[in-house]
Amino acid sequence: MNTVYKERKIVSRLLAVVLSALLTVPLLSSCGGGSKNASAPAPVDDTVGRTVSDRQTQAKKGLGTGQKVALLAGAAGLYYLYNQHKNASQEGAQGKYYLSKNGRVYYRDAEHRAHWVTPPSQGIRVPESEAQQYRQFQGYNGSTSGRDLTGITSSAAPAL
């Protein structure tokens, strides 16, 4: 009868050691500290429920009646916003914009996270003389045909 208790004692001790080791794994793995050379954070997609409020578009709402305007939406509006902000010196939504390889426009915030930019859904009113360079893009005066922003490269765009 003593041997039965001895076998149970060995099995229960072995089971206790294995369970204790399994319980300490999460504790020990959380103490790693992380990498010192971490890459930039993942991009933030702000396209849901948010549009860009651009100072230039707000100023152009009061255009004179004698001046012809074009409505830039979609790719044309996005490329217009990119061209307005590509040489800015500050960070954030009113700062420098970048053109990604996949044809999207983004800016970086103070933590260097990428935020995708979308043009306002109602479009951007631009003087027709200034809007002529966007005629070939989708969204120029409501057109659904035309080219998108893929293939337009930006040499100053940092990696995402």
Side-chain angles (χ1 to χ4, degrees):
M1 210 145 168
N2 286 343
T3 58
V4 172
Y5 287 116
K6 198 170 198 173
E7 286 178 12
R8 281 188 179 173
K9 205 181 243 188
I10 292 173
V11 171
S12 63
R13 281 186 184 169
L14 182 63
L15 185 61
V17 169
V18 168
L19 289 176
S20 297
L22 287 175
L23 288 173
T24 58
V25 168
L27 178 67
L28 294 176
S29 65
S30 66
C31 295
S35 173
K36 295 291 181 198
N37 55 0
S39 62
V44 178
D45 194 357
D46 292 336
T47 58
V48 180
R50 182 175 178 265
T51 57
V52 175
S53 61
D54 191 29
R55 288 186 302 244
Q56 284 110 1
T57 58
Q58 291 172 356
K60 292 182 181 179
K61 284 185 179 176
L63 294 172
T65 56
Q67 190 174 22
K68 289 188 174 187
V69 295
L71 192 64
L72 300 179
L78 199 55
Y79 197 45
Y80 172 79
L81 289 174
Y82 164 73
N83 283 330
Q84 295 298 311
H85 292 273
K86 68 182 177 182
N87 295 323
S89 60
Q90 60 202 38
E91 293 178 338
Q94 299 303 325
K96 187 171 186 171
Y97 282 14
Y98 303 96
L99 187 60
S100 69
K101 290 180 183 177
N102 65 0
R104 294 185 72 185
V105 175
Y106 65 97
Y107 64 89
R108 296 227 179 248
D109 62 10
E111 288 91 33
H112 300 288
R113 287 184 303 213
H115 293 265
W116 299 113
V117 177
T118 56
S121 58
Q122 69 273 14
I124 303 168
R125 294 179 59 168
V126 178
E128 193 173 25
S129 59
E130 189 177 336
Q132 287 299 318
Q133 64 185 8
Y134 305 103
R135 181 179 293 272
Q136 64 183 344
F137 294 98
Q138 295 171 354
Y140 177 82
N141 268 345
S143 72
T144 56
S145 63
R147 86 183 260 209
D148 58 6
L149 299 183
T150 55
I152 299 175
T153 59
S154 172
S155 59
L160 284 177

